[in-house]
Amino acid sequence: MAQREARAGATNWKTDMNDGWLQTSGALFQAVQLARVFDDSKTFPDCVPSAPPEQVEARFRALLADFVAAHFELPPARTMEALQQAPSLAAHIDRLWPMLSRRPDEPVAGASLLPLPNPYVVPGGRFREIYYWDSYFTAEGLVASGRVDLVEGMVRNFAWLIDRFGHVPNGNRSYFLGRSQPPTFCHMLLLLEREAGFDAVRPFLPQLEQEYRFWMRREPATYRGRPVADRRTVLVGEEVVLNRYWDDHNGPREESFLEDVELFGHAPAARQGELYRNLRAGAESGWDFSSRWLAEGAGLESIRTTELIPIDLNCLVYNIEAQLARWLARLGAARAADYECAAARRIRALNRLCWNAKAGWWFDFDWANGAQRDAWTLAGAFPIFCGLADRDQAAAMAANIEQRFLRPGGVVTTLRTAGEQWDAPNGWAPLQWVVVVGLREHGHEALAREIATRFVGLAERVYHRTGKLMEKYDVCDLGLDAGGGEYPVQDGFGWTNGVVRAFIERFGL
């Protein structure tokens, strides 16, 4: 099986000239055995190669490449068109939206793409489909560019996905159906309400309630003094349920199959059983990947996403509860009170488990070990973005943001340099937005403006140097490009365009 392979790219056949022993492992061995070429599985390991092992491997790979080319249509290599220098960065972003927009999809038999009925915007680069939480930050920029029509189309697409699958998948691909992403559908509805009023939101409340049920679905359980986890929930007290990231599947990610299989071969035996699910849960978090999910000082093989109660996720679910309480009360629905009570329970639980008054910051909670994590990350800023933090908490948080996270190009994701892309020295557009909006909501206008100004300045600097807006940036050294992660830095780029464009409008930059 693939799980036994430590390095899928290693030589598949090795002969020892002294004893003639043949090692059978790797892609060729697996392909023959799993395809049942022989009735007896012992037959192939007993075969003798008729050519040097390196030639056999090379011929197999060439044959496989020819087969794929003959039987599959490769995804189009979309590149961003070279545009003449725009009079401003805002004007450049406005010209990018049509290049990132997609028309409603026509179903294609056998394709992994889940066809969407309305126009939408993709991030760009290798990301040829929508991504859930990306779309909210993109939408903020679309509104600033006067493209509310595209925002409405994306909201309708998310409602359609919820109706069809019960949740918004990570992206509109069939291999993403086992997981979602940070639930920002509610924030998209808040954006729609801001632009078009409550009547524009009303038709989508059933889908928002359905999404809430997706995150809260669990088997009945009794709290007996210790947390009880099930799917995306963790029972942390009598009738007190918080959330975690999860995936319904526990195998290599289809879109990162080789990377996951190789990592499995390096992981300790004690971590292998749930390694794939934890990688998938990390992808559901949107922070794929970060030292936030890892054991202290260890690498990605130590990932333990499902063992943590993430502060950002629970803030976003709180926001769903709070807004449903408000919107349903406006409709006179009695169940509005249930959501209001759920939101109040969540605030109390998060204050007990995730708020650290001495540090003045919010941290993830390790429910498996019953302890608060000590990793400083910008996930801890979500309480000011989602309305959980009180005035004193917000003041302490603002001081920490300025003293610990502020860098020349904005705010840095974590305080650790671990080689993962959601760590220092990188800064990401969505987290700049969360911090800036949260600070403004609590009266810290000057710091919010400083962060927005620095981030827009960095994006403009890189744009003038490369002609591109990037997925992420090195906010610590303005002369370096961002790095880390499983793939090269992508350009396009949906949520960067959205946040930068919205900052320019809001602050007159």
mmCIF file of all heavy atoms in Angstrom, residues 464-490:
data_model
loop_
_atom_site.group_PDB
_atom_site.id
_atom_site.type_symbol
_atom_site.label_atom_id
_atom_site.label_comp_id
_atom_site.label_asym_id
_atom_site.label_seq_id
_atom_site.Cartn_x
_atom_site.Cartn_y
_atom_site.Cartn_z
ATOM 1 N N HIS A 464 5.244 46.864 -8.416
ATOM 2 C CA HIS A 464 6.103 47.649 -9.300
ATOM 3 C C HIS A 464 7.350 46.867 -9.708
ATOM 4 O O HIS A 464 7.895 47.075 -10.796
ATOM 5 C CB HIS A 464 6.503 48.961 -8.618
ATOM 6 C CG HIS A 464 5.393 49.960 -8.549
ATOM 7 N ND1 HIS A 464 4.666 50.352 -9.653
ATOM 8 C CD2 HIS A 464 4.871 50.648 -7.501
ATOM 9 C CE1 HIS A 464 3.746 51.243 -9.306
ATOM 10 N NE2 HIS A 464 3.853 51.431 -7.992
ATOM 11 N N ARG A 465 7.776 45.945 -8.844
ATOM 12 C CA ARG A 465 8.961 45.142 -9.160
ATOM 13 C C ARG A 465 8.644 43.975 -10.081
ATOM 14 O O ARG A 465 9.458 43.609 -10.937
ATOM 15 C CB ARG A 465 9.594 44.644 -7.859
ATOM 16 C CG ARG A 465 10.803 43.716 -8.060
ATOM 17 C CD ARG A 465 11.576 43.511 -6.763
ATOM 18 N NE ARG A 465 10.770 42.957 -5.705
ATOM 19 C CZ ARG A 465 10.547 41.649 -5.529
ATOM 20 N NH1 ARG A 465 11.063 40.766 -6.379
ATOM 21 N NH2 ARG A 465 9.823 41.226 -4.510
ATOM 22 N N THR A 466 7.450 43.367 -9.914
ATOM 23 C CA THR A 466 7.130 42.129 -10.637
ATOM 24 C C THR A 466 5.923 42.243 -11.563
ATOM 25 O O THR A 466 5.717 41.367 -12.405
ATOM 26 C CB THR A 466 6.833 40.993 -9.636
ATOM 27 O OG1 THR A 466 5.622 41.298 -8.917
ATOM 28 C CG2 THR A 466 7.984 40.831 -8.641
ATOM 29 N N GLY A 467 5.097 43.263 -11.371
ATOM 30 C CA GLY A 467 3.856 43.365 -12.130
ATOM 31 C C GLY A 467 2.757 42.471 -11.604
ATOM 32 O O GLY A 467 1.729 42.291 -12.259
ATOM 33 N N LYS A 468 2.937 41.904 -10.382
ATOM 34 C CA LYS A 468 2.000 40.920 -9.857
ATOM 35 C C LYS A 468 1.561 41.258 -8.442
ATOM 36 O O LYS A 468 2.278 41.933 -7.690
ATOM 37 C CB LYS A 468 2.647 39.531 -9.851
ATOM 38 C CG LYS A 468 3.094 39.036 -11.212
ATOM 39 C CD LYS A 468 3.836 37.722 -11.099
ATOM 40 C CE LYS A 468 4.293 37.220 -12.458
ATOM 41 N NZ LYS A 468 5.047 35.929 -12.348
ATOM 42 N N LEU A 469 0.381 40.765 -8.081
ATOM 43 C CA LEU A 469 -0.037 40.705 -6.680
ATOM 44 C C LEU A 469 0.052 39.248 -6.253
ATOM 45 O O LEU A 469 -0.370 38.350 -6.991
ATOM 46 C CB LEU A 469 -1.444 41.254 -6.486
ATOM 47 C CG LEU A 469 -1.477 42.787 -6.485
ATOM 48 C CD1 LEU A 469 -1.937 43.295 -7.838
ATOM 49 C CD2 LEU A 469 -2.369 43.304 -5.379
ATOM 50 N N MET A 470 0.594 39.014 -5.069
ATOM 51 C CA MET A 470 0.977 37.672 -4.669
ATOM 52 C C MET A 470 0.038 37.106 -3.611
ATOM 53 O O MET A 470 -0.667 37.827 -2.910
ATOM 54 C CB MET A 470 2.405 37.681 -4.126
ATOM 55 C CG MET A 470 3.406 38.409 -5.023
ATOM 56 S SD MET A 470 3.478 37.780 -6.727
ATOM 57 C CE MET A 470 4.254 36.197 -6.446
ATOM 58 N N GLU A 471 0.091 35.786 -3.485
ATOM 59 C CA GLU A 471 -0.724 35.065 -2.505
ATOM 60 C C GLU A 471 -0.341 35.444 -1.077
ATOM 61 O O GLU A 471 -1.196 35.542 -0.199
ATOM 62 C CB GLU A 471 -0.511 33.565 -2.722
ATOM 63 C CG GLU A 471 -1.213 32.673 -1.743
ATOM 64 C CD GLU A 471 -0.760 31.230 -1.862
ATOM 65 O OE1 GLU A 471 0.335 30.979 -2.417
ATOM 66 O OE2 GLU A 471 -1.509 30.355 -1.400
ATOM 67 N N LYS A 472 0.939 35.632 -0.829
ATOM 68 C CA LYS A 472 1.458 35.966 0.502
ATOM 69 C C LYS A 472 2.720 36.782 0.332
ATOM 70 O O LYS A 472 3.307 36.818 -0.756
ATOM 71 C CB LYS A 472 1.740 34.696 1.307
ATOM 72 C CG LYS A 472 2.697 33.714 0.629
ATOM 73 C CD LYS A 472 2.863 32.450 1.434
ATOM 74 C CE LYS A 472 3.792 31.436 0.755
ATOM 75 N NZ LYS A 472 3.126 30.720 -0.342
ATOM 76 N N TYR A 473 3.164 37.426 1.412
ATOM 77 C CA TYR A 473 4.323 38.307 1.358
ATOM 78 C C TYR A 473 5.215 38.088 2.568
ATOM 79 O O TYR A 473 4.733 37.730 3.646
ATOM 80 C CB TYR A 473 3.881 39.774 1.337
ATOM 81 C CG TYR A 473 3.124 40.184 0.099
ATOM 82 C CD1 TYR A 473 1.732 40.076 0.044
ATOM 83 C CD2 TYR A 473 3.794 40.674 -1.022
ATOM 84 C CE1 TYR A 473 1.033 40.452 -1.090
ATOM 85 C CE2 TYR A 473 3.100 41.060 -2.164
ATOM 86 C CZ TYR A 473 1.720 40.943 -2.201
ATOM 87 O OH TYR A 473 1.030 41.309 -3.323
ATOM 88 N N ASP A 474 6.503 38.353 2.378
ATOM 89 C CA ASP A 474 7.420 38.445 3.509
ATOM 90 C C ASP A 474 7.256 39.848 4.079
ATOM 91 O O ASP A 474 7.695 40.833 3.473
ATOM 92 C CB ASP A 474 8.866 38.220 3.039
ATOM 93 C CG ASP A 474 9.870 38.189 4.183
ATOM 94 O OD1 ASP A 474 9.651 38.900 5.183
ATOM 95 O OD2 ASP A 474 10.886 37.483 4.064
ATOM 96 N N VAL A 475 6.628 39.947 5.245
ATOM 97 C CA VAL A 475 6.357 41.268 5.827
ATOM 98 C C VAL A 475 7.488 41.731 6.733
ATOM 99 O O VAL A 475 7.450 42.851 7.238
ATOM 100 C CB VAL A 475 5.026 41.270 6.624
ATOM 101 C CG1 VAL A 475 3.850 40.987 5.709
ATOM 102 C CG2 VAL A 475 5.069 40.289 7.790
ATOM 103 N N CYS A 476 8.492 40.878 6.925
ATOM 104 C CA CYS A 476 9.605 41.225 7.810
ATOM 105 C C CYS A 476 10.760 41.880 7.059
ATOM 106 O O CYS A 476 11.394 42.803 7.561
ATOM 107 C CB CYS A 476 10.102 39.974 8.542
ATOM 108 S SG CYS A 476 8.842 39.210 9.591
ATOM 109 N N ASP A 477 11.053 41.390 5.863
ATOM 110 C CA ASP A 477 12.125 41.939 5.040
ATOM 111 C C ASP A 477 11.519 42.313 3.696
ATOM 112 O O ASP A 477 11.202 41.438 2.883
ATOM 113 C CB ASP A 477 13.244 40.911 4.870
ATOM 114 C CG ASP A 477 14.474 41.489 4.175
ATOM 115 O OD1 ASP A 477 14.318 42.407 3.349
ATOM 116 O OD2 ASP A 477 15.595 41.017 4.449
ATOM 117 N N LEU A 478 11.364 43.599 3.434
ATOM 118 C CA LEU A 478 10.660 44.052 2.235
ATOM 119 C C LEU A 478 11.411 43.740 0.952
ATOM 120 O O LEU A 478 10.842 43.871 -0.136
ATOM 121 C CB LEU A 478 10.395 45.561 2.332
ATOM 122 C CG LEU A 478 9.607 46.029 3.565
ATOM 123 C CD1 LEU A 478 9.270 47.511 3.442
ATOM 124 C CD2 LEU A 478 8.349 45.207 3.762
ATOM 125 N N GLY A 479 12.646 43.292 1.070
ATOM 126 C CA GLY A 479 13.415 42.955 -0.116
ATOM 127 C C GLY A 479 13.355 41.494 -0.494
ATOM 128 O O GLY A 479 13.919 41.087 -1.513
ATOM 129 N N LEU A 480 12.678 40.682 0.315
ATOM 130 C CA LEU A 480 12.616 39.244 0.065
ATOM 131 C C LEU A 480 11.213 38.818 -0.349
ATOM 132 O O LEU A 480 10.222 39.460 -0.004
ATOM 133 C CB LEU A 480 13.024 38.466 1.320
ATOM 134 C CG LEU A 480 14.458 38.657 1.810
ATOM 135 C CD1 LEU A 480 14.683 37.845 3.077
ATOM 136 C CD2 LEU A 480 15.464 38.259 0.725
ATOM 137 N N ASP A 481 11.149 37.712 -1.091
ATOM 138 C CA ASP A 481 9.865 37.117 -1.445
ATOM 139 C C ASP A 481 9.448 36.123 -0.376
ATOM 140 O O ASP A 481 10.293 35.521 0.299
ATOM 141 C CB ASP A 481 9.956 36.401 -2.798
ATOM 142 C CG ASP A 481 10.180 37.370 -3.951
ATOM 143 O OD1 ASP A 481 9.683 38.513 -3.854
ATOM 144 O OD2 ASP A 481 10.844 36.986 -4.925
ATOM 145 N N ALA A 482 8.143 35.924 -0.239
ATOM 146 C CA ALA A 482 7.628 34.936 0.710
ATOM 147 C C ALA A 482 8.005 33.535 0.250
ATOM 148 O O ALA A 482 8.259 33.292 -0.932
ATOM 149 C CB ALA A 482 6.113 35.073 0.831
ATOM 150 N N GLY A 483 8.030 32.608 1.194
ATOM 151 C CA GLY A 483 8.371 31.231 0.858
ATOM 152 C C GLY A 483 7.698 30.265 1.806
ATOM 153 O O GLY A 483 6.772 30.616 2.534
ATOM 154 N N GLY A 484 8.201 29.024 1.816
ATOM 155 C CA GLY A 484 7.627 27.982 2.667
ATOM 156 C C GLY A 484 6.451 27.318 1.995
ATOM 157 O O GLY A 484 5.886 27.823 1.024
ATOM 158 N N GLY A 485 6.074 26.160 2.516
ATOM 159 C CA GLY A 485 4.896 25.485 2.002
ATOM 160 C C GLY A 485 5.210 24.442 0.948
ATOM 161 O O GLY A 485 6.366 24.148 0.635
ATOM 162 N N GLU A 486 4.152 23.903 0.352
ATOM 163 C CA GLU A 486 4.254 22.763 -0.546
ATOM 164 C C GLU A 486 4.364 23.151 -2.018
ATOM 165 O O GLU A 486 4.571 22.299 -2.865
ATOM 166 C CB GLU A 486 3.018 21.858 -0.376
ATOM 167 C CG GLU A 486 2.854 21.297 1.014
ATOM 168 C CD GLU A 486 1.559 20.505 1.177
ATOM 169 O OE1 GLU A 486 0.510 20.959 0.690
ATOM 170 O OE2 GLU A 486 1.620 19.421 1.773
ATOM 171 N N TYR A 487 4.206 24.430 -2.333
ATOM 172 C CA TYR A 487 4.182 24.844 -3.740
ATOM 173 C C TYR A 487 4.763 26.252 -3.847
ATOM 174 O O TYR A 487 4.829 26.981 -2.857
ATOM 175 C CB TYR A 487 2.748 24.811 -4.279
ATOM 176 C CG TYR A 487 1.773 25.611 -3.452
ATOM 177 C CD1 TYR A 487 1.620 26.988 -3.645
ATOM 178 C CD2 TYR A 487 1.008 25.002 -2.459
ATOM 179 C CE1 TYR A 487 0.743 27.729 -2.873
ATOM 180 C CE2 TYR A 487 0.134 25.745 -1.678
ATOM 181 C CZ TYR A 487 0.000 27.095 -1.901
ATOM 182 O OH TYR A 487 -0.866 27.837 -1.129
ATOM 183 N N PRO A 488 5.186 26.669 -5.040
ATOM 184 C CA PRO A 488 5.731 28.027 -5.202
ATOM 185 C C PRO A 488 4.669 29.083 -4.915
ATOM 186 O O PRO A 488 3.465 28.828 -5.017
ATOM 187 C CB PRO A 488 6.142 28.054 -6.682
ATOM 188 C CG PRO A 488 6.256 26.626 -7.093
ATOM 189 C CD PRO A 488 5.250 25.875 -6.270
ATOM 190 N N VAL A 489 5.123 30.271 -4.571
ATOM 191 C CA VAL A 489 4.208 31.384 -4.317
ATOM 192 C C VAL A 489 3.390 31.660 -5.583
ATOM 193 O O VAL A 489 3.947 31.743 -6.677
ATOM 194 C CB VAL A 489 4.984 32.648 -3.905
ATOM 195 C CG1 VAL A 489 4.027 33.822 -3.704
ATOM 196 C CG2 VAL A 489 5.767 32.382 -2.627
ATOM 197 N N GLN A 490 2.096 31.793 -5.412
ATOM 198 C CA GLN A 490 1.189 31.998 -6.548
ATOM 199 C C GLN A 490 0.865 33.475 -6.716
ATOM 200 O O GLN A 490 0.841 34.243 -5.749
ATOM 201 C CB GLN A 490 -0.103 31.206 -6.336
ATOM 202 C CG GLN A 490 0.108 29.715 -6.167
ATOM 203 C CD GLN A 490 0.657 29.046 -7.408
ATOM 204 O OE1 GLN A 490 0.022 29.041 -8.451
ATOM 205 N NE2 GLN A 490 1.859 28.491 -7.307
#
